[in-house]
Amino acid sequence: MFLNETIPRYVGALIGPQRGVFESDMAMAVSILVASVVLAFIADLLFGKVLLHYTCKTRYECDNLIVAAVRKPIYYTFIIFGFFVAAEIVYPENDVVEFISGIFFTLLGIVWVISLLQINKILFKHVFTHLVKRTDTTMDDELLPLFKNLVSVLIIFFGFLAILRGVWDLNVTPLFASAGLAGLALAFAAQDSISQLFGGVSIYFDQPFKIGDRIEIDGGEIGIVQEIGIRSTRLINMYNNMIVIPNNIIANSRIVNYTSPESTMMVKIPIGVTYGSDVEKVKNVLREIAGDVEQVLDIPAPYARFENHSDFSLDFALIVWIKNPGDKFTVIDRVNTLINRRFREENIEIPFPTRTLVMAK
């Protein structure tokens, strides 16, 4: 029995009080059949002449495509339901009629599944594609075909189950159990790929960085983000080499973003001088050196700090700020070069490690 015998019961309840109006069941069946055909043509005319007329005037292409996709399924739905109701009136609870009606309802279900697949294709092509193009990352562009195929598979799967259960009254529980076991086996077999995929999805929604940002991850890798993919993220390091890092590693790592929320970066340059050096003179020379480096910002102002009395030196640190994190090593090189030259000119001595040995008599 198909449709769980629900529709036949409703048909009997609806036409029971009306049987006295018609001379015979055949007359009622013909009337219902004619009415269904008329309704089908009216619906087809409404979609073809009215809705398509207005949707063609909009600046969107997807609305008229969606109307065209559902036009024929609605037309066939009216006609098939009309034939089904008419057959139930003339031949109630007839196994042959129900079997033939089941075949037609199966075909109608397939038509609706095809229509939903077309709508899915239209939405992803004309709506979601334009939305993802507005974002900076390319990950959503790569995820879009995946989601499109996933939705298509779900439409086919649940459409198939609806036909089996709703039309032919078959038990679909074993199919769900089989699908669950197959999904579990697939998950174990592709757990690395799945973890990378979900890592990419978490990066997409959390957005700890974007293309062009300079980042550092736990492993010490530093580079500029070139591409954020579904399974991996690509960086260009200071040696102009491409580094490919799986997204599951990045998603579970501590990330330092040197560019966001702003690119201004502090650079600390340590230097030691001999004991007996003039501390204020050393600070003044270090500040002058910072002012001579083009990449060093005036605001915040650079400053020198006396940090520690170590074993063989007085330890200072020159703190400067730069606009572009990519200038860090250039600034360090420039500052150290000037320190070496200016300290010689100012007779400030840079010590080397010394040890004093005391010999016991």
Side-chain angles (χ1 to χ4, degrees), residues 157 161 171-185:
F157 179 72
L161 292 182
N171 185 12
V172 296
T173 303
L175 290 178
F176 277 106
S178 301
L181 292 175
L184 185 62

Side-chain angles (χ1 to χ4, degrees), residues 1-5 161-170 172:
M1 304 297 290
F2 71 106
L3 295 174
N4 299 324
E5 300 181 347
L161 292 182
I163 292 173
L164 291 181
R165 180 61 179 172
V167 177
W168 300 104
D169 197 21
L170 296 178
V172 296

Side-chain angles (χ1 to χ4, degrees), residues 294-313:
E294 180 182 359
Q295 291 88 349
V296 174
L297 298 177
D298 295 328
I299 299 174
Y303 66 95
R305 186 170 64 202
F306 182 17
E307 291 201 318
N308 188 34
H309 293 82
S310 65
D311 293 340
F312 51 84
S313 65

Side-chain angles (χ1 to χ4, degrees), residues 126-282:
H126 297 278
V127 179
F128 301 133
T129 302
H130 295 290
L131 293 178
V132 300
K133 286 182 178 178
R134 298 178 182 178
T135 61
D136 296 329
T137 177
T138 60
M139 183 185 299
D140 46 10
D141 299 84
E142 298 182 25
L143 287 173
L144 201 62
L146 178 65
F147 286 133
K148 174 188 173 184
N149 294 333
L150 179 60
V151 173
S152 298
V153 170
L154 291 176
I155 290 174
I156 296 173
F157 179 72
F158 285 104
F160 178 69
L161 292 182
I163 292 173
L164 291 181
R165 180 61 179 172
V167 177
W168 300 104
D169 197 21
L170 296 178
N171 185 12
V172 296
T173 303
L175 290 178
F176 277 106
S178 301
L181 292 175
L184 185 62
L186 180 62
F188 276 112
Q191 55 183 336
D192 290 338
S193 297
I194 293 175
S195 65
Q196 292 169 5
L197 173 62
F198 279 98
V201 172
S202 67
I203 291 174
Y204 171 72
F205 286 105
D206 192 37
Q207 294 185 346
F209 51 81
K210 61 182 183 297
I211 293 177
D213 285 357
R214 183 182 297 271
I215 66 171
E216 178 181 358
I217 64 174
D218 271 345
E221 299 289 354
I222 302 177
I224 299 174
V225 180
Q226 294 294 305
E227 182 180 344
I228 306 172
I230 297 177
R231 299 180 63 249
S232 63
T233 296
R234 289 169 170 79
L235 310 178
I236 295 291
N237 64 8
M238 69 178 64
Y239 305 107
N240 203 34
N241 295 326
M242 176 73 74
I243 304 174
V244 181
I245 306 174
N247 283 334
N248 57 337
I249 295 178
I250 295 181
N252 295 313
S253 298
R254 183 179 67 91
I255 301 172
V256 180
N257 192 329
Y258 293 108
T259 307
S260 180
E262 60 180 36
S263 59
T264 303
M265 179 182 184
M266 186 192 78
V267 179
K268 176 181 177 182
I269 304 166
I271 183 67
V273 300
T274 58
Y275 275 88
S277 299
D278 187 337
V279 172
E280 291 302 323
K281 181 180 180 181
V282 173

